[in-house]
Amino acid sequence: MNPSLEPPRHRAFCTAEFAGRFFLAQLDVSQRMGNLYALLGMGLTDCALRSHVLRATHDAAYTVDLNELDSRKALLLEASLEGFATILRNFAEEVAAAHVRCLEQALGRVPSGAPSALPPALLPFLQPDFAGFGRAFNEALRERAEGRG
């Protein structure tokens, strides 16, 4: 066993932080995907209804409008695919940053200067040094137990 590493119970705090960051990133992705999906659905429904009404008239004057609606639908689909790709890419970057931060804390290194996946204001319950807090708490318990004995 490597003596420079702390016991596994002290590394559980960074795992909990990683789980929290992952959960918040997952909630963010699901909310953004739902919003984009709803906007895409409304846009496609609008295009479908307008083209249905224009096709029902059987008038040659509306062919330009039909072509414009088809190009609008293609543009809407292309933009939504780019939006989905961007959302998933950001999710992967946030999870990777949280994982790197967890590994750095678990190995006892100072977290890198890279921006964290989530701003610290969203995680007010986290302390910067969990291992030090755990050691101080255990030492206080030992001192209290020795004082009584």
Side-chain angles (χ1 to χ4, degrees):
M1 184 172 162
N2 189 352
S4 64
L5 293 178
E6 297 176 5
R9 67 178 182 275
H10 295 300
R11 286 183 259 146
F13 294 114
C14 68
T15 307
E17 180 184 1
F18 170 72
R21 288 178 184 273
F22 179 77
F23 180 68
L24 288 175
Q26 190 174 11
L27 286 176
D28 182 47
V29 165
S30 63
Q31 182 179 13
R32 288 176 189 261
M33 287 285 210
N35 189 18
L36 187 59
Y37 182 71
L39 291 174
L40 174 64
M42 291 297 294
L44 290 177
T45 303
D46 180 47
C47 287
L49 288 176
R50 287 178 188 232
S51 63
H52 181 70
V53 168
L54 290 176
R55 284 190 176 100
T57 59
H58 300 292
D59 194 355
Y62 294 120
T63 57
V64 174
D65 292 336
L66 283 172
N67 290 336
E68 186 177 313
L69 279 174
D70 288 339
S71 66
R72 179 180 172 197
K73 188 185 331 180
L75 180 67
L76 186 64
L77 286 172
E78 182 181 343
S80 64
L81 287 175
E82 288 178 10
F84 284 130
T86 302
I87 290 170
L88 290 176
R89 187 180 316 113
N90 288 341
F91 174 70
E93 289 173 359
E94 287 179 6
V95 170
H99 194 249
V100 167
R101 185 176 171 98
C102 177
L103 287 175
E104 286 175 344
Q105 288 178 356
L107 296 174
R109 296 183 186 153
V110 176
S112 63
S116 61
L118 298 171
L122 293 178
L123 303 170
F125 54 87
L126 296 176
Q127 298 294 326
D129 182 21
F130 286 114
F133 173 75
R135 281 192 296 270
F137 183 74
N138 288 337
E139 288 173 9
L141 287 177
R142 275 190 223 114
E143 288 175 4
R144 184 180 294 167
E146 288 173 1
R148 289 183 188 170

